[in-house]
Amino acid sequence: FQAAWNLKTRALTEMVYVDEIDMDQEGIAEMILDENAIAQVARPGTSLKLPGTSQGGGPSPAVRPVTQSGRPITGFVRPSTQSGRPSTMEQAIRTPRTALTARPITSASGGYVRLGTASMLTNPDGPFINLSRLNFTKYAQKPKLAKALFEYIFHHENDIKNALDLAALATEHAQFKDWWWKVQIGKCYYRLGLYREAEKQFKSALKQQDMVDTILYLAKVYLRLDQPVTALNLFKQGLDRFPGEVTLICGIARIYEEMNNISSAAEYYKDVLKQDNTHVEAIACIGSNHFYSDQPEIALRFYRRLLQMGVYNCQLFNNLGLCCFYAQQYDMTLSSFERALFLAENEEETADVWYNLGHVAVGIGDLNLAYQCFKLTLVNNNDYAEAYNNLAVLEMRKGHTEQARALLQTASSLAPHMYEPHFNVAILSEKVGDLQRSYTAAQKSEEAFPGHVDTQQLMKQLKEHFAML
């Protein structure tokens, strides 16, 4: 997995996302009848949907930007959370996520291969195993062969229904005493979105055989049910039985980070490094935390450690360039970004590097270079909302009001969770005397980031204007 992707700098843009939940009467009825449903309004500090409710004193969106799913930008692209644009048709069909989002296509199947698209992956000589002709009852009575066949069906063919049928017959033949089959049935239920059934299978397997993998699978179920506190307790119970297990400590750190409790997450990542000092995810996340804590020199040490370990990709050099710039080591800044551009594998990565180069240009005061960098960002990725926002600020400095307004409208439509475009529209409208539009935009900015002081001051001024009228 790629480490440490895209430290969004603080100069002009940060992001925040506010979940809005609208439920009609039919939705309430479905929630009552659905045992997989969860409470729509969670208690503070107990939900991943509202990570800002954590009691750990997480960073403000003005200091550390967050993703569209409402979580702080982490130092590591984790499995099952994000994926780049697939390079082949086969990857596009098999990928469980969409190209530019961290959310699944549907809550039930997660976008796994569907019947209509599975035919596009057939081999020219026919499939290796024709599953429709197999007699699962016969193979279920041969444990060694059944396990290999299940792995092929589940991981290669991605046929969850047939895999579940085989696992059910095999565990019945084993008289429900084989913990391995219970774990596999739980994995099938998880893929099908039946999380409560998966929970029962994993718990039953843990009673028969205490395994780290089963604990991890059960924690995934609880996270999908939006029960991070239960998952944390499960991990801590697992650490009592498996002291020093790196995967369990790392799981705790991930949950704390997703709940915006960055200080606790950093402590657990340090515990991970005490057990395994070559753990890439822990090093990258600690480095990212130091960067956003105004300690770029310390972050630079962690990223140099990754470079010494053999991590050699666009993301790492991008972060090295940012750390060198903010640590005032200007001799290495441009060469690091140059290497990052050389190693970029797709247009999205190239756009991110040009975007950060634009921030470097703003930092040194070369606004013409910044303008060109943000333009190159849009050439590589036309949906880059932050670049539109920053270009609007530069256009405003030149006095091009209408161009700035158009760019800000584009930015706010592409990323409605960002507060900067709304706030900039409010400032722009207030300057030209359009107080009503300014007030509407300021309300959107306040909704996206309630703690933004400048927005609150602007709202106060506008209310005074309206009171005088």
Side-chain angles (χ1 to χ4, degrees):
F1 301 105
Q2 293 178 333
W5 178 227
N6 194 22
L7 295 174
K8 299 283 188 180
T9 53
R10 296 165 24 189
L12 292 175
T13 59
E14 293 84 25
M15 298 184 292
V16 70
Y17 182 80
V18 179
D19 276 334
E20 293 182 358
I21 301 169
D22 295 323
M23 292 194 64
D24 54 10
Q25 292 181 355
E26 293 181 2
I28 295 173
E30 290 177 3
M31 184 184 71
I32 294 174
L33 297 175
D34 185 7
E35 64 177 6
N36 289 319
I38 60 175
Q40 295 296 320
V41 181
R43 295 190 303 274
T46 62
S47 172
L48 297 178
K49 287 187 176 181
L50 298 172
T53 59
S54 170
Q55 303 299 313
S60 162
V63 176
R64 182 167 185 165
V66 295
T67 62
Q68 287 195 6
S69 44
R71 299 169 184 167
I73 286 182
T74 63
F76 195 83
V77 176
R78 300 195 173 93
S80 300
T81 57
Q82 290 179 348
S83 63
R85 178 172 291 176
S87 57
T88 64
M89 182 64 184
E90 184 167 336
Q91 288 179 0
I93 294 173
R94 288 194 185 279
T95 181
R97 307 280 170 171
T98 55
L100 295 176
T101 180
R103 296 176 181 269
I105 299 174
T106 63
S107 60
S109 64
Y112 292 98
V113 177
R114 296 165 292 178
L115 293 177
T117 53
S119 60
M120 301 175 70
L121 294 175
T122 54
N123 298 325
D125 301 328
F128 178 66
I129 296 177
N130 194 338
L131 299 179
S132 61
R133 296 185 179 182
L134 291 182
N135 184 356
F136 289 135
T137 306
K138 181 180 74 172
Y139 287 104
Q141 297 173 1
K142 303 176 181 179
K144 295 181 180 179
L145 187 59
K147 290 183 178 181
L149 181 61
F150 175 87
E151 296 280 351
Y152 175 81
I153 298 172
F154 186 85
H155 294 291
H156 185 272
E157 293 297 323
N158 210 3
D159 190 341
I160 307 304
K161 180 180 178 298
N162 282 323
L164 181 60
D165 291 341
L166 176 60
L169 291 170
T171 192
E172 186 178 352
H173 178 263
Q175 298 178 351
F176 305 97
K177 294 180 180 178
D178 192 338
W179 65 271
W180 191 86
W181 283 113
K182 291 184 178 180
V183 172
Q184 308 316 310
I185 292 175
K187 287 162 64 176
C188 292
Y189 281 142
Y190 179 82
R191 284 277 188 96
L192 295 172
L194 303 173
Y195 303 121
R196 291 300 181 187
E197 284 78 2
E199 177 190 9
K200 294 174 185 175
Q201 295 293 332
F202 290 138
K203 282 185 174 180
S204 179
L206 277 175
K207 289 180 182 178
Q208 289 186 350
Q209 180 71 36
D210 207 5
M211 295 288 291
V212 174
D213 281 352
T214 313
I215 296 174
L216 295 173
Y217 280 123
L218 185 55
K220 284 181 67 176
V221 171
Y222 287 133
L223 290 177
R224 185 55 64 90
L225 289 172
D226 196 23
Q227 297 178 1
V229 176
T230 308
L232 284 174
N233 293 332
L234 178 68
F235 278 134
K236 290 174 181 177
Q237 292 170 9
L239 282 175
D240 293 336
R241 302 192 296 271
F242 300 97
E245 176 59 40
V246 170
T247 53
L248 299 181
I249 304 173
C250 189
I252 295 174
R254 289 179 181 178
I255 294 175
Y256 276 127
E257 193 168 39
E258 290 176 356
M259 293 174 67
N260 211 2
N261 193 344
I262 304 298
S263 56
S264 297
E267 292 300 321
Y268 277 98
Y269 279 128
K270 290 175 183 177
D271 290 341
V272 170
L273 292 182
K274 290 177 184 176
Q275 304 294 332
D276 179 10
N277 58 8
T278 61
H279 198 276
V280 175
E281 179 178 353
I283 296 173
C285 289
I286 293 174
S288 174
N289 185 40
H290 282 298
F291 178 85
Y292 286 115
S293 301
D294 286 333
Q295 296 173 322
E297 300 88 351
I298 302 177
L300 187 60
R301 291 172 54 191
F302 283 93
Y303 289 126
R304 286 178 59 191
R305 169 65 175 164
L306 288 177
L307 196 61
Q308 292 169 355
M309 286 168 48
V311 179
Y312 191 80
N313 55 28
C314 169
Q315 292 87 341
L316 180 58
F317 280 100
N318 175 72
N319 290 352
L320 282 170
L322 283 175
C323 290
C324 288
F325 177 72
Y326 285 106
Q328 300 181 7
Q329 298 183 15
Y330 301 120
D331 54 334
M332 288 292 295
T333 302
L334 292 179
S335 60
S336 296
F337 281 123
E338 198 174 0
R339 186 65 57 87
L341 286 172
F342 177 75
L343 293 172
E345 296 179 354
N346 53 52
E347 291 180 346
E348 282 75 17
E349 294 181 0
T350 306
D352 282 321
V353 178
W354 279 117
Y355 174 78
N356 288 328
L357 275 168
H359 278 293
V360 171
V362 171
I364 64 177
D366 192 344
L367 298 185
N368 290 326
L369 176 61
Y371 189 86
Q372 294 298 324
C373 289
F374 291 136
K375 282 285 189 181
L376 285 169
T377 302
L378 296 178
V379 168
N380 288 281
N381 184 0
N382 200 34
D383 293 335
Y384 215 105
E386 298 91 335
Y388 281 111
N389 179 77
N390 293 2
L391 277 173
V393 174
L394 295 176
E395 291 286 4
M396 190 60 197
R397 291 177 66 94
K398 295 179 181 179
H400 302 159
T401 306
E402 291 303 319
Q403 293 181 18
R405 188 191 300 276
L407 289 168
L408 288 172
Q409 288 177 350
T410 305
S412 58
S413 62
L414 287 172
H417 62 281
M418 289 169 51
Y419 72 91
E420 288 86 0
H422 300 305
F423 175 71
N424 291 338
V425 167
I427 290 290
L428 189 60
S429 301
E430 196 264 343
K431 285 184 177 180
V432 299
D434 191 347
L435 300 184
Q436 182 59 45
R437 179 178 292 181
S438 176
Y439 184 74
T440 304
Q443 282 182 320
K444 293 180 180 178
S445 174
E446 188 176 35
E447 183 181 356
F449 183 17
H452 192 221
V453 177
D454 292 336
T455 301
Q456 295 172 357
Q457 292 177 350
L458 180 61
M459 290 280 286
K460 184 178 178 182
Q461 291 177 8
L462 291 172
K463 287 177 181 178
E464 290 177 355
H465 280 300
F466 293 143
M468 291 173 62
L469 295 175

